[in-house]
């Protein structure tokens, strides 16, 4: 019964996300369409043409950003709930983001324990990507990204800590609110998606931050009842199960 419940809730999150994405992406596409129609008008100056194209490109960037905040790992079969190997998924996300960290002169320190959590692996990867990417983005002039996992009897705890720009209390209170972004090209959707996914996994996200010093995101999730860990091969995507 409980398995079915989780599955059902998960499906709901997936379809809610799908509905939000189509809504979010439609706005920039409508703007691009409008500018392309304007572009067809006769007698436009070169300067006007350039302005229309630039605006259309900005909106396409926005659509791309929205899709990457929601759907970087999406697959048609993504309603699958398994026991996720947290260490492996964190390493995978860190490997993805290493070039970006390097570009920002961000050093990465990892202290990862073996632990598992229950959920949909693509959604979980999306959460890690969004939070770790934000951490790196908060350190444009370099810093240290510290990723730590801990396991207690009932909880798996993931700390994602940066030495970046930090947040005011007002900003911190708005995290997860749709469209709240302090970035020039931000969507303000990455954390909203992450909070929803973690909530569906029966977990919590807590944030501690000090302006100018840094921020720590703490994700807490329940330890699964069954301890079997599914390893998903990064190359073949085949699952193997170990206990
Ligand atoms: P986006 O990254 O597109 O702005 P997010 O939902 O990912 O949207 O994040 C919302 C806002 O939360 C960011 O614009 C930023 O102001 C703040 N934020 C998130 N993570 C951090 C962090 N690690 N350090 C400082 N600010 C952060
Ligand atoms: Mg973000």
């Amino acid at each position: 019964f409980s398995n079915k419940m989780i599955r059902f809730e998960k499906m709901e999150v997936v379809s809610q996300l799908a509905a939000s994405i189509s809504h979010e992406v439609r706005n920039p596409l409508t703007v691009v369409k409008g500018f392309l129609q304007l572009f067809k008008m006769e007698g436009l100056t070169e300067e006007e043409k350039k302005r229309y194209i630039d605006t259309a490109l900005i909106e396409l960037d926005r659509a791309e950003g929205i899709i990457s905040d929601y759907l970087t790992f999406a697959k048609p079969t993504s309603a699958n709930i398994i026991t996720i190997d947290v260490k492996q998924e964190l390493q995978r996300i860190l490997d993805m983001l290493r070039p970006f960290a390097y570009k920002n002169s961000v050093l990465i320190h990892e202290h990862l324990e073996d632990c598992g959590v229950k959920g949909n692996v693509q959604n979980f990867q999306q959460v890690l990507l969004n939070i770790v990417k934000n951490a790196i983005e908060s350190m444009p002039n370099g810093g240290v990204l510290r990723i730590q996992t801990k396991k207690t009897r009932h909880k798996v705890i993931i700390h994602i800590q940066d030495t970046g720009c930090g947040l005011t209390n007002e900003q911190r209170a708005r995290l997860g609110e749709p469209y709240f972004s302090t970035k020039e090209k931000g969507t303000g959707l990455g954390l909203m998606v992450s909070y929803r996914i973690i909530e569906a996994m029966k977990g919590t996200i807590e944030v501690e931050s000090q302006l100018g010093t840094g921020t720590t995101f703490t994700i807490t999730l329940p330890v699964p009842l069954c301890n079997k860990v599914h390893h998903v091969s990064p190359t073949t995507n085949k699952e193997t199960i170990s206990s």
Side-chain angles (χ1 to χ4, degrees), residues 2 5-14 17 78-86 89 115-128 131 154-156 158 193-205 219-225:
S2 75
M5 277 297 284
I6 293 170
R7 225 186 162 81
F8 176 73
E9 279 177 24
K10 210 59 221 178
M11 297 273 272
E12 199 148 80
V13 176
V14 171
L17 288 181
S78 76
N80 229 1
I81 305 291
I82 62 162
T83 303
I84 300 165
D85 180 338
V86 172
E89 296 314 327
C115 46
V117 295
K118 246 200 165 49
N120 169 267
V121 73
Q122 283 82 29
N123 287 348
F124 187 64
Q125 287 170 327
Q126 187 73 64
V127 171
L128 298 178
I131 294 179
H154 301 291
K155 301 217 174 309
V156 169
I158 307 166
V193 169
S194 306
Y195 278 82
R196 268 162 64 177
I197 292 170
I198 293 300
E199 196 183 328
M201 291 171 78
K202 307 257 181 288
T204 59
I205 298 182
I219 305 172
T220 305
L221 288 159
V223 168
L225 293 175

Side-chain angles (χ1 to χ4, degrees), residues 39-53:
F39 199 79
K40 280 207 311 195
M41 288 193 320
E42 277 166 45
L44 292 178
T45 65
E46 285 305 310
E47 195 190 312
E48 282 169 324
K49 283 186 185 169
K50 187 176 175 306
R51 211 175 61 228
Y52 294 160
I53 287 186

Side-chain angles (χ1 to χ4, degrees), residues 18 22 34 38 57 90 148 150 157 175 178 199 241:
S22 66
L38 278 178
L57 285 174
L90 272 166
Q148 195 178 3
K150 274 188 269 180
I157 301 159
L175 295 179
E199 196 183 328
I241 302 173

